Amino acid sequence: LLASSNGDADGTKWFNLAVIHGGVFYDREAWAAAGYGPEDEPSTLEDLMSIARDLTVRENGQMTQAGFCFQGVFRDMIVDLNYQNGQWNFDDTGTRALIDVDGVRESLEFMMNDVLGPEGTCDALIADANWDGMAQGRIAMSYAWNWVGGWLNDNSDVDWGWFPMPAPDGAPAVGRNNVENTFSVNARSSDAEKAVAFDFIEFVLSSDERVLRYVLQSGGVPTKRSLLSDPAVLANPIVARSIADGIVDRTVYAGAVPVAYEAAYDRLRDALTLEGTDVDTALAQAQEIADDRLAGSGFVSIERSYAGAGSFR
């Protein structure tokens, strides 16, 4: 499945090294100060937001510590919530994005009201990105993708914990996954150049040490099966938990989604958080951008090959 979108009619052009996905990072010290420990890990969005409200600190009407944020990952968060709601992100042809639909409105209600609302747990000005905010001690709990664990280790002294993104009971998926890959081979290269490029990819893949280094940097689940039980993999708290909970099997892979699709959600974010545009207008604008930019792109989503597809809308 993961390799089915990795090429074209001429064959495979790159290979997957690790599967990554979203989750929730939390500052252990901030949790302890609010009376929480690892045993209090939330299993529902309601539990998550209850803890987030206790972690949120305001002084003189200004938020000084955000309880839960999605700064810098708006589009990743909304796509995860869409899948949790049973909402496909592309139509049944796989070529048209589904943005101006009720399922996305449901996701936005949580993001814009519970998280960013007047009584919410995050202020858009608290930090540009969740990882920066956590490193500065301004965000106690944040949604982000696996790689942020390595970033926090290298750029902060935060004692962080991690757990999977909670999902509603009966949710058909907990979110989306994506892949970290080898270098790709340019289809326009000469046969001789392609041969050299594939030799180099084979060189990378032939070494467990090289692949493992890449896997651990990304915090992803290795696609090379021989590494799944490697001690270094099982020592990584995110990767080990992802393997134990089978998160890869509970997340949806849509294929190599083009930047054109991401631009539509970036426009939605800016319209709602910076410009004060009403939801209906903002969704219509984002849909128009997606329709315009995806048309003729050649992209076909493979999200409906997900094992739990029968539970979606």
Side-chain angles (χ1 to χ4, degrees):
L1 173 62
L2 291 178
S4 64
S5 66
N6 292 11
D8 54 27
D10 295 327
T12 299
K13 296 296 188 291
W14 69 87
F15 296 89
N16 308 132
L17 295 178
V19 184
I20 58 175
H21 49 72
V24 180
F25 290 85
Y26 66 96
D27 185 323
R28 294 183 191 276
E29 290 187 11
W31 263 42
Y36 293 103
E39 69 279 4
D40 298 306
E41 177 185 307
S43 57
T44 66
L45 285 178
E46 291 76 17
D47 292 341
L48 174 73
M49 297 311 295
S50 178
I51 295 174
R53 286 188 286 271
D54 288 341
L55 293 171
T56 302
V57 178
R58 290 180 172 87
E59 297 178 4
N60 300 319
Q62 182 175 355
M63 188 179 293
T64 56
Q65 177 176 283
F68 175 76
C69 284
F70 51 81
Q71 293 301 96
V73 282
F74 176 94
R75 61 175 179 252
D76 296 311
M77 180 76 175
I78 197 169
V79 167
D80 271 12
L81 291 174
N82 292 345
Y83 283 139
Q84 288 189 7
N85 293 335
Q87 171 65 59
W88 291 117
N89 283 292
F90 297 91
D91 69 5
D92 56 5
T93 71
T95 61
R96 183 175 187 263
L98 297 174
I99 295 178
D100 191 3
V101 293
D102 289 342
V104 176
R105 285 179 172 81
E106 292 176 25
S107 301
L108 282 175
E109 184 175 350
F110 170 76
M111 295 172 70
M112 302 308 297
N113 295 339
D114 293 6
V115 180
L116 288 180
E119 302 300 320
T121 63
C122 187
D123 186 319
L125 299 179
I126 199 81
D128 289 334
N130 276 340
W131 40 98
D132 289 330
M134 288 195 73
Q136 297 161 3
R138 294 170 58 80
I139 297 178
M141 190 164 56
S142 65
Y143 167 88
W145 279 51
N146 311 44
W147 63 267
V148 167
W151 189 94
L152 288 172
N153 288 342
D154 292 340
N155 295 278
S156 78
D157 296 322
V158 176
D159 179 15
W160 57 268
W162 182 91
F163 53 83
M165 184 67 190
D169 289 340
V174 297
R176 175 177 74 106
N177 71 57
N178 205 349
V179 287
E180 298 287 353
N181 303 309
T182 62
F183 297 101
S184 60
V185 179
N186 192 326
R188 295 181 176 84
S189 300
S190 68
D191 289 343
E193 289 171 333
K194 288 179 183 178
V196 173
F198 276 117
D199 279 346
F200 181 73
I201 289 177
E202 184 177 356
F203 167 75
V204 172
L205 293 175
S206 67
S207 168
D208 280 0
E209 181 182 354
R210 283 188 290 271
V211 174
L212 182 61
R213 188 183 311 132
Y214 195 84
V215 164
L216 295 177
Q217 285 175 340
S218 70
V221 175
T223 57
K224 194 170 186 179
R225 295 183 182 277
S226 62
L227 295 180
L228 287 172
S229 59
D230 188 281
V233 168
L234 298 180
N236 183 296
I238 299 174
V239 183
R241 178 69 182 276
S242 184
I243 293 172
D245 287 9
I247 295 177
V248 170
D249 293 331
R250 297 163 57 208
T251 48
V252 181
Y253 181 62
V257 178
V259 173
Y261 173 72
E262 297 178 343
Y265 269 128
D266 287 346
R267 175 59 197 150
L268 179 64
R269 175 201 62 210
D270 293 346
L272 294 175
T273 62
L274 300 178
E275 300 166 14
T277 307
D278 67 272
V279 170
D280 287 342
T281 301
L283 285 171
Q285 291 174 350
Q287 185 69 66
E288 183 178 0
I289 290 172
D291 288 347
D292 179 61
R293 298 195 180 188
L294 284 175
S297 69
F299 172 71
V300 179
S301 171
I302 61 171
E303 64 179 359
R304 299 193 187 213
S305 59
Y306 172 61
S311 299
F312 276 71
R313 305 184 186 198

